[in-house]
Amino acid sequence: MKKNKQRSNKAKTNVLIDRMIRVNQAGEYGAKRIYEGQLSILGDTTDGPVLQEMKEHEQVHLDAFNKLMIDKRVRPTALFPIWHIAGFALGASTARLGKNAAMACTVAVEEVIEEHYEKQIASLDAKEYDELRETLEKFKLDEVNHKEIALSEGAKETPGYQLLTRAIKKGSRLAIWLSERI
């Protein structure tokens, strides 16, 4: 009886780890696409280098989760084509509203990702997940840094900042929920 319960707990843990890897890979891909959309509008401006640097950080995160997906044999989300288009569209549309709106988008997304990573980190208490926990902690700090950069670049000066960030946060939370499951 005890072995069956242990096996059941192990299976639940594996499902949770698979979900974490799947959603984080999808999220980092979406973040990269947001920056690509922003760069398509603002890339040739003085704001381009800041956006490019943040995009490069997201690529490092994406590469790490791509590797984990292969190593752990985790399937990607079936929503990948939607995130491909939606990420770029979100980035380009906020950039069309101006640099401050693009930065407001970054603040909103990074705040949601920071919360998301914190929850995941808190759930990884077993010693066997130290490496994944350390990866999440490192990436969370990068996301916090992106948020701080965006704030220093004028995000809160965006007309309708609260409304815009609230809408982007809701969309980001929905994307997380869906990507964990589909």
Side-chain angles (χ1 to χ4, degrees), residues 6-18 20-21 68 71-72 120-121 123-136:
Q6 286 175 334
R7 238 182 278 146
S8 174
N9 287 340
K10 183 73 169 166
K12 285 180 187 175
T13 301
N14 288 341
V15 168
L16 291 175
I17 297 300
D18 287 0
M20 280 184 193
I21 293 169
L68 276 170
D71 292 348
K72 303 289 186 188
Q120 288 183 339
I121 291 164
S123 72
L124 292 172
D125 54 2
K127 184 105 174 116
E128 67 186 292
Y129 302 115
D130 282 352
E131 188 176 338
L132 180 56
R133 186 181 318 100
E134 288 171 14
T135 298
L136 295 175

Side-chain angles (χ1 to χ4, degrees), residues 46-61:
T46 57
D47 305 308
V50 170
L51 295 169
Q52 182 64 37
E53 183 178 342
M54 290 191 281
K55 178 186 162 250
E56 288 168 6
H57 291 158
E58 302 300 353
Q59 184 65 55
V60 169
H61 301 175

Side-chain angles (χ1 to χ4, degrees), residues 23 26-27 30 34 79 82-83 86-87 90 105 108-110 112-113 163-179:
V23 71
I34 290 169
L79 301 172
I82 294 170
W83 303 154
L90 178 60
C105 176
V109 171
E110 300 300 18
V112 170
I113 299 306
L163 182 64
L164 178 63
T165 56
R166 200 172 310 128
I168 293 169
K169 286 178 180 183
K170 283 185 184 221
S172 297
R173 288 184 182 111
L174 177 61
I176 288 169
W177 189 86
L178 290 169
S179 292

Side-chain angles (χ1 to χ4, degrees), residues 77-110:
T77 179
L79 301 172
F80 219 77
I82 294 170
W83 303 154
H84 179 80
I85 295 166
F88 189 90
L90 178 60
S93 63
T94 55
R96 282 214 185 275
L97 295 172
K99 174 196 102 167
N100 291 346
M103 293 298 160
C105 176
T106 295
V107 169
V109 171
E110 300 300 18

